[in-house]
Amino acid sequence: MGTIDVAVLDQDAHGIPAAEYAEILDRRLPEHEVRLAATPDEHRRYLREATVVAGRNIDAKEVSTAENLRLFACNSAGVDHLPLDAFAEQGVAVTNASGVHGPNIAEHVLGSVLTFTRRLDEGRRRQQRREWRRFQSFTELAGSTVTVVGLGAIGEAVVERFEGFDVETVGVRHTVAKGGPTDEVVGYGDLPDVLPKTDVLVLACPLTETTEGLIGTAELEGLPTDAIIVNIARGGVIETPALVDAIRSNAIHGAALDVTDPEPLPSDHDLWGFENVFITPHVAGHTPKYWERRADVLVENLERITETGEYEGLRNQVL
């Protein structure tokens, strides 16, 4: 198979320009044509012309007009927002970015937890005040229990990075029989049983009918009052009003939120006002190496397509 026309849509999953990704692909795919759709006109034209499109958002109408499209390389791990029926009707293969977010997001989780336990935010505040006044850390991780909800690539990467901290780990997943890297694996139905012993609750699951509103008033009340919640899943996994109430009443120690519901979080939302809530604007996955890992998937798949001429059996293929 000869040259493949690859179009990169300009906006990444959260509105971040994809120029760097296009440059990486252009460098690593010299035998193919890589074009960045940087304007609305280019977006429409490249969708009509390209054989492979890399991006996150595309609607059913766009799929129907993409005459040459054979592969949509989704930039996110989740594909529930995509018109999969339209892709199937057009015979377009779809891949996702599962696995590329593990190292970067896991480091974000660890950084958030250490900020809480070592009170690094308080140290920063005292530095800004030029105040040499000692303070005690909140706790130590050693001997604590970390519960990770969702044992996909991200959840497993989180568990791996906690291994050196002498903690007990509990994994929560749909199919307990699959096991996992944690000391204990339980199903979603058993989550209430493990919450009372959970010091750090990490949410790393997809947003589904099962996980939407998974952490509500009852679950927050089930946690110890010194528990920390880190959400790098989706905002809807936590019932936001219940979380606000829990923070306000000191029912938990604090929360680190890279995702929120609603998102973006309105500037007048109550969550902004708490010193023990760390908010980042859905950027846990965005590091320079993330772009390279994302390119790894597409480069590998294009090599396979070039060799076989088939759009089947691709890495991370979901359709």
Side-chain angles (χ1 to χ4, degrees), residues 128-297:
Q128 290 173 335
R129 296 194 298 262
R130 299 173 181 252
E131 179 182 338
W132 186 270
R133 186 163 59 89
R134 303 177 72 180
F135 59 91
Q136 180 173 277
S137 294
F138 171 59
T139 188
E140 297 178 4
L141 279 178
S144 63
T145 297
V146 178
T147 296
V148 180
V149 180
L151 289 180
I154 294 174
E156 290 192 351
V158 169
V159 173
E160 180 181 345
R161 279 152 184 78
F162 273 105
E163 286 180 355
F165 287 88
D166 192 24
V167 301
E168 291 292 317
T169 54
V170 178
V172 182
R173 70 184 317 163
H174 283 291
T175 308
V176 177
K178 288 184 177 180
T182 51
D183 297 308
E184 180 183 1
V185 178
V186 302
Y188 278 88
D190 296 317
L191 179 60
D193 297 331
V194 300
L195 289 177
K197 66 177 182 179
T198 296
D199 300 294
V200 178
L201 177 64
V202 180
L203 303 173
C205 53
L207 182 63
T208 65
E209 290 184 1
T210 300
T211 62
E212 185 170 7
L214 180 70
I215 306 301
T217 300
E219 290 73 24
L220 291 164
E221 290 177 349
L223 287 165
T225 56
D226 58 358
I228 297 163
I229 296 177
V230 182
N231 190 7
I232 45 82
R234 288 292 184 269
V237 175
I238 301 179
E239 293 181 0
T240 301
L243 177 62
V244 170
D245 289 343
I247 294 292
R248 186 173 285 133
S249 64
N250 296 316
I252 59 173
H253 181 68
L257 309 173
D258 189 54
V259 290
T260 59
D261 182 24
E263 187 174 311
L265 192 65
S267 60
D268 61 350
H269 199 282
D270 289 340
L271 284 173
W272 289 111
F274 299 111
E275 283 197 351
N276 58 338
V277 176
F278 304 154
I279 297 172
T280 48
H282 211 147
V283 295
H286 292 291
T287 67
K289 292 183 179 180
Y290 154 74
W291 300 101
E292 290 285 357
R293 283 195 299 274
R294 226 172 64 182
D296 288 342
V297 178

Side-chain angles (χ1 to χ4, degrees), residues 54 61 189 239 253 307 315:
K61 183 178 179 180
E239 293 181 0
H253 181 68
E307 179 182 344
R315 177 179 169 186

Side-chain angles (χ1 to χ4, degrees), residues 9-22:
L9 304 187
D10 185 45
Q11 296 297 313
D12 185 51
H14 312 295
I16 295 177
E20 184 175 353
Y21 183 42

